[in-house]
């Protein structure tokens, strides 16, 4: 499909800026329309002054641009291009029509199993695509997932992703809930650049979609202790198939976590994702 946003050089005058869509730790995102093609997109604006020179954040933005502009997958938010002026850096991103997934999760408290399974199947498909390109996301959590107009999910915010193998040090901030044990424990960091870290986070995400809170949610100290021991309880009302998948992803040994191709063929995923449309709608109608 020919992308209207393919000129080599972009500049701010090409866009009509709309309402603010949200803000992150660094920068804000605005709805925008490219004037000649009327193409709707999301413009992420970062102030250079906020990205201290030579700091990790500047490298993170560079990495986000380098990695995300080469990705093309229905469940990964597209980065069409970027440009900058004297004070700001602009990322031209795909507009996700239904916004941030975590807001939907908080509003609904938790997702029904059929919806959670479809989201996890889409995440597994996107992660398989990333891992085939030796990209590790390393920051899978509801806050970094957006929703398209048809309810499909889109992984965004590649600021923490890396090309494996990689010898960069990373400073961690934000929630600990999604960190795998190998990133919590001190000692060898090469496990940080093993794509198995995304499998652990996928397990945490599955749990949070179904239960409405993260499995190791606690005080920061207790969260670290519970992660290091994979100490979590799955409520008895969660189906046995869903419990089985969570337990096969939240495994301390990275090498023993269920591979993505087995996630996609897991009975819980098959049960909710490959039924005929009619049967699935009938089931959903009864929810
Ligand atoms: C909000 C919202 N409501 N609806 C109906 C659609 C949206 C929507 N938001 C987006 C957004 C969007 C907005 N905020 N954020 C979080 C953020 C902001 C700044 C730096 C880092 C992270 C992402 C994007 Cl990128 C891309 N598409 C988006 N679509």
């Amino acid at each position: 499909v020919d992308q209207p946003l393919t000129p080599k050089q972009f500049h701010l005058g090409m866009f009509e800026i709309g309402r603010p869509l949200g803000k992150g730790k660094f920068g804000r995102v605005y709805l925008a329309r490219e004037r000649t093609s009327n193409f709707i997109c999301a413009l992420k604006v970062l102030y250079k002054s906020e990205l201290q020179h030579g700091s990790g954040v500047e490298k993170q933005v560079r990495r986000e641009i380098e990695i995300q502009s080469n990705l093309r997958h229905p469940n990964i938010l597209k980065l069409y291009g970027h440009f900058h002026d004297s004070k700001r850096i602009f990322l031209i991103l795909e507009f996700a029509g239904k916004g941030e997934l975590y807001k939907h999760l908080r509003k609904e408290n938790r997702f029904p199993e059929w919806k959670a399974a479809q989201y996890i199947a889409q995440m597994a498909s996107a992660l398989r695509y990333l891992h085939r390109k030796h990209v590790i996301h390393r920051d899978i959590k509801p806050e970094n997932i957006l929703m398209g107009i048809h309810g499909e999910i889109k992984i965004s915010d590649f600021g923490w992703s890396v090309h494996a193998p990689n010898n960069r040090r990373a400073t961690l901030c934000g929630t600990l809930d999604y960190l795998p044990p190998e990133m919590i424990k001190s000692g060898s960091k090469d496990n940080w650049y093993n794509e198995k870290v995304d499998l652990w986070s996928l397990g945490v995400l599955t749990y949070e979609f179904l239960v409405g809170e993260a499995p190791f949610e606690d005080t920061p100290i207790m969260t670290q202790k519970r992660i290091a021991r994979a100490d979590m309880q799955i409520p008895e009302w969660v189906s046995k198939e869903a419990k089985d998948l969570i337990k096969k992803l939240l495994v301390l040994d990275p090498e023993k976590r269920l591979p993505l191709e087995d996630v996609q063929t897991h009975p819980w995923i098959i049960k909710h994702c490959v039924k005929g449309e009619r049967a699935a709608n009938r089931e959903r109608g009864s929810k």
Side-chain angles (χ1 to χ4, degrees):
V1 170
D2 169 41
Q3 295 295 348
L5 286 175
T6 47
K8 285 291 153 270
Q9 287 305 318
F10 293 104
H11 58 84
L12 193 51
M14 294 168 76
F15 299 93
E16 195 182 344
I17 308 298
R19 74 176 180 92
L21 291 171
K23 58 183 184 307
K25 225 182 349 254
F26 301 98
R28 291 168 178 275
V29 172
Y30 297 88
L31 191 59
R33 178 175 38 212
E34 201 276 323
R35 294 186 196 280
T36 45
S37 62
N38 282 332
F39 189 79
I40 295 292
C41 57
L43 204 58
K44 188 170 181 178
V45 185
L46 300 149
Y47 281 86
K48 291 181 182 174
S49 56
E50 283 182 12
L51 317 176
Q52 310 81 8
H53 287 285
S55 72
V57 185
E58 201 181 344
K59 285 189 205 108
Q60 246 180 270
V61 173
R62 229 187 286 282
R63 198 157 51 221
E64 182 174 354
I65 293 172
E66 170 205 325
I67 288 178
Q68 207 168 345
S69 28
N70 297 308
L71 301 175
R72 225 177 226 335
H73 186 282
N75 301 114
I76 295 175
L77 196 76
K78 283 180 189 55
L79 171 62
Y80 297 110
H82 64 283
F83 56 94
H84 64 96
D85 64 15
S86 57
K87 295 197 302 284
R88 297 162 292 187
I89 299 170
F90 299 88
L91 305 186
I92 308 164
L93 293 161
E94 175 183 0
F95 171 65
K98 287 192 174 166
E100 298 178 89
L101 183 77
Y102 85 92
K103 289 182 181 167
H104 294 268
L105 180 56
R106 296 291 172 263
K107 196 170 69 184
E108 298 178 41
N109 183 24
R110 56 177 190 257
F111 295 137
E113 296 223 355
W114 63 265
K115 190 183 280 194
Q118 293 196 1
Y119 290 160
I120 296 302
Q122 292 170 39
M123 287 299 292
S125 168
L127 287 173
R128 269 190 87 182
Y129 171 85
L130 287 176
H131 292 176
R132 268 200 299 271
K133 295 176 116 28
H134 305 296
V135 173
I136 310 169
H137 189 280
R138 293 200 315 168
D139 199 13
I140 299 293
K141 57 186 175 187
E143 291 78 354
N144 287 341
I145 301 173
L146 292 163
M147 190 186 288
I149 201 70
H150 304 298
E152 75 282 16
I153 60 173
K154 297 182 178 275
I155 301 182
S156 70
D157 202 342
F158 281 76
W160 282 100
S161 55
V162 286
H163 270 117
N166 164 299
N167 55 8
R168 250 185 276 261
R169 279 191 52 76
T171 53
L172 298 169
C173 47
T175 173
L176 294 168
D177 282 325
Y178 278 75
L179 287 181
E182 61 268 27
M183 288 180 84
I184 290 265
K185 284 185 199 131
S186 52
S188 79
K189 294 263 183 304
D190 31 14
N191 259 335
W192 283 29
Y193 304 105
N194 177 327
E195 81 277 352
K196 307 277 194 286
V197 298
D198 287 338
L199 296 177
W200 174 277
S201 304
L202 187 64
V204 177
L205 193 70
T206 308
Y207 183 104
E208 182 160 0
F209 282 173
L210 290 169
V211 181
E213 60 190 33
F216 309 106
E217 212 160 289
D218 210 316
T219 63
I221 302 286
M222 276 314 292
T223 297
Q224 294 186 58
K225 285 189 176 1
R226 294 180 58 199
I227 290 172
R229 293 197 301 260
D231 161 24
M232 52 121 190
Q233 276 78 36
I234 308 176
E236 40 75 36
W237 43 264
V238 173
S239 72
K240 65 180 181 334
E241 296 90 349
K243 273 193 190 115
D244 180 72
L245 177 57
I246 293 169
K247 284 181 184 157
K248 286 176 177 166
L249 288 169
L250 295 184
V251 174
L252 289 178
D253 178 352
E255 297 310 313
K256 293 203 173 70
R257 290 171 197 157
L258 196 66
L260 289 166
E261 42 278 14
D262 299 334
V263 172
Q264 289 182 303
T265 55
H266 186 277
W268 183 61
I269 298 292
I270 297 297
K271 176 178 168 185
H272 291 292
C273 293
V274 291
K275 262 184 180 169
E277 203 46 38
R278 209 165 19 83
N281 289 336
R282 195 171 43 243
E283 181 175 308
R284 253 168 256 150
S286 62
K287 287 276 170 288

